[in-house]
Amino acid sequence: MDFIFECEVNMKCSSCDRQAIITRKQAGVSLCSEHFIDYFERTVYETIASTRMIEEHDRIAVAVSGGKDSTALLFSLHKILKGRDVKMVAITVDEGIRGYRDDTIRAARDIAGKLNVEHHIVSFREEYGYSLDQMVIGKNVAPCTFCGVFRKHALNRAAKRLGADEVATGHNLDDEAQTVMMNYLKGDYERLMRFRPSRIQKGLVPRIKPLRAMPEKEIALYCMVNGIFAESRECPYADLSLRADVRDMMNALESQFPGTKQSTVLGFEEIAKRERGMWTQMDLEECRVCGEPCVNGRCKACELLEQLGAVALPG
Ligand SMILES: [Zn+2]
Ligand SMILES: [Zn+2]
């Protein structure tokens, strides 16, 4: 291996004699590329196994944006589930973000093709009549709100069309810690609890996050050592959200106090476990316009579409 990611030169792997490429400060171990890949895939496997995310005969829709997280997700799942009776299909949602999406869609198509995984592209433009760029033009709204609502909506509909048992997304430890922290900061208990739903809802394909224990940096490294991803580009809208500030804050804390992100998530898991008995998970209804699950008669996507002056969605 001709690069060292984050550790000192001449640092040996804790499991063999080779040069280490990363020191995992929190665990106090250094790993060479081979042992890093082992550790990575074992952790992903344990995440899947401990929560029974995936069962035999399942059909998994993997959300592949073409970024490093979802690329690592598809690649590692493909390897871990090899030989099992599990079928994978890749879904890419094309939000329609100029100067950003085209490259990542190509990357998604490449990785799916390389692994021989069936690939489907769902675009905002075809599903809703507008690209994300068109939706937010001249409006004083956070693009991430629109994007998040429609992406979830489109992904769920596509997963149902494809007969998927679950949707796997590339959310990592950083994303999880950010979401928990954002909900703390906003004091949003309902949303915080919904982050770990206790049961399956009708019409909603269960979402699983096999990479949720993996730090973003290690995912980047996993892509590098496997030669599956060359460039990382950030969504041009990313800086406009609270999440960006929370991310910077969590990164600063993590570098000063390694383990902060993990303890943020573990602390929340503990709260969620204790609160579960007290919190009644709302029953979702069917949206009267599009039939997707929602809380009060009409889903958020249809509500936003009406604001945009669009015609009703076909069911
Ligand atoms: Zn080693
Ligand atoms: Zn709807």
Side-chain angles (χ1 to χ4, degrees):
M1 195 53 56
D2 53 0
F3 65 88
I4 295 170
F5 185 67
E6 206 176 62
C7 90
E8 286 164 31
V9 184
N10 297 329
M11 174 66 86
K12 288 255 182 291
C13 171
S14 307
S15 305
C16 74
D17 276 342
R18 273 172 295 204
Q19 165 71 46
I21 58 164
I22 183 172
T23 298
R24 298 185 53 244
K25 281 195 199 128
Q26 208 190 327
V29 294
S30 297
L31 299 169
C32 69
S33 54
E34 194 178 302
H35 284 109
F36 170 73
I37 291 174
D38 275 0
Y39 142 78
F40 188 98
E41 289 166 0
R42 200 174 51 243
T43 312
V44 175
Y45 174 79
E46 279 163 9
T47 305
I48 298 170
S50 68
T51 48
R52 296 178 141 262
M53 283 180 182
I54 296 168
E55 313 247 292
E56 244 14 72
H57 318 303
D58 272 1
R59 190 175 165 87
I60 311 166
V62 184
V64 181
S65 67
K68 61 183 178 334
D69 298 318
S70 58
T71 300
L73 174 67
L74 190 68
F75 191 87
S76 59
L77 278 185
H78 185 261
K79 209 164 151 192
I80 292 165
L81 299 172
K82 202 167 202 154
R84 300 249 319 256
D85 180 20
V86 172
K87 163 117 174 120
M88 288 208 288
V89 289
I91 301 177
T92 301
V93 178
D94 179 4
E95 301 91 350
I97 304 171
R98 262 184 86 151
Y100 165 69
R101 251 303 169 230
D102 298 342
D103 289 355
T104 51
I105 286 173
R106 197 173 313 123
R109 197 182 289 132
D110 286 352
I111 187 71
K114 191 171 163 182
L115 301 173
N116 218 354
V117 172
E118 189 183 309
H119 185 218
H120 300 265
I121 299 176
V122 188
S123 80
F124 277 15
R125 195 147 187 150
E126 275 167 38
E127 295 272 315
Y128 308 112
Y130 297 90
S131 67
L132 182 68
D133 286 342
Q134 292 172 320
M135 286 177 186
V136 299
I137 214 161
K139 289 190 190 63
N140 191 20
V141 292
C144 299
T145 307
F146 275 75
C147 190
V149 168
F150 287 110
R151 201 173 41 213
K152 256 183 204 163
H153 192 268
L155 202 53
N156 194 56
R157 297 218 301 181
K160 281 195 282 194
R161 286 199 293 263
L162 293 167
D165 296 291
E166 53 261 323
V167 175
T169 60
H171 291 96
N172 58 42
L173 178 65
D174 295 56
D175 300 321
E176 296 275 288
Q178 286 158 21
T179 302
V180 168
M181 190 49 74
M182 281 167 68
N183 287 323
Y184 284 161
L185 292 174
K186 291 195 240 175
D188 197 334
Y189 173 80
E190 180 68 29
R191 200 177 274 266
L192 186 69
M193 291 307 295
R194 254 193 281 148
F195 195 46
R196 286 285 180 271
S198 48
R199 61 185 161 83
I200 291 168
Q201 294 269 17
K202 194 169 159 265
L204 197 64
V205 183
R207 283 189 287 266
I208 62 170
K209 294 179 269 191
L211 300 186
R212 72 185 198 195
M214 308 312 300
E216 189 184 316
K217 270 187 187 170
E218 294 182 9
I219 293 173
L221 180 59
Y222 181 77
C223 288
M224 280 162 77
V225 292
N226 284 297
I228 47 173
F229 192 65
E231 63 167 328
S232 183
R233 197 184 297 182
E234 194 162 67
C235 174
Y237 293 125
D239 274 349
L240 302 171
S241 65
L242 167 66
R243 185 173 286 274
D245 291 321
V246 171
R247 180 196 59 201
D248 294 346
M249 174 185 85
M250 297 303 288
N251 283 343
L253 287 169
E254 180 73 32
S255 70
Q256 212 181 339
F257 310 104
T260 299
K261 290 171 188 171
Q262 196 184 38
S263 58
T264 301
V265 174
L266 291 179
F268 159 67
E269 300 278 5
E270 196 55 41
I271 294 171
K273 214 189 298 168
R274 289 179 198 203
E275 289 290 295
R276 199 154 277 167
M278 333 253 255
W279 174 67
T280 335
Q281 189 175 346
M282 245 183 279
D283 277 319
L284 295 180
E285 307 161 18
E286 266 180 29
C287 169
R288 60 176 177 265
V289 184
C290 72
E292 281 296 288
C294 67
V295 278
N296 42 23
R298 194 172 56 160
C299 77
K300 197 79 193 150
C302 289
E303 196 184 308
L304 290 176
L305 275 178
E306 195 186 274
Q307 283 174 27
L308 291 168
V311 284
L313 279 178

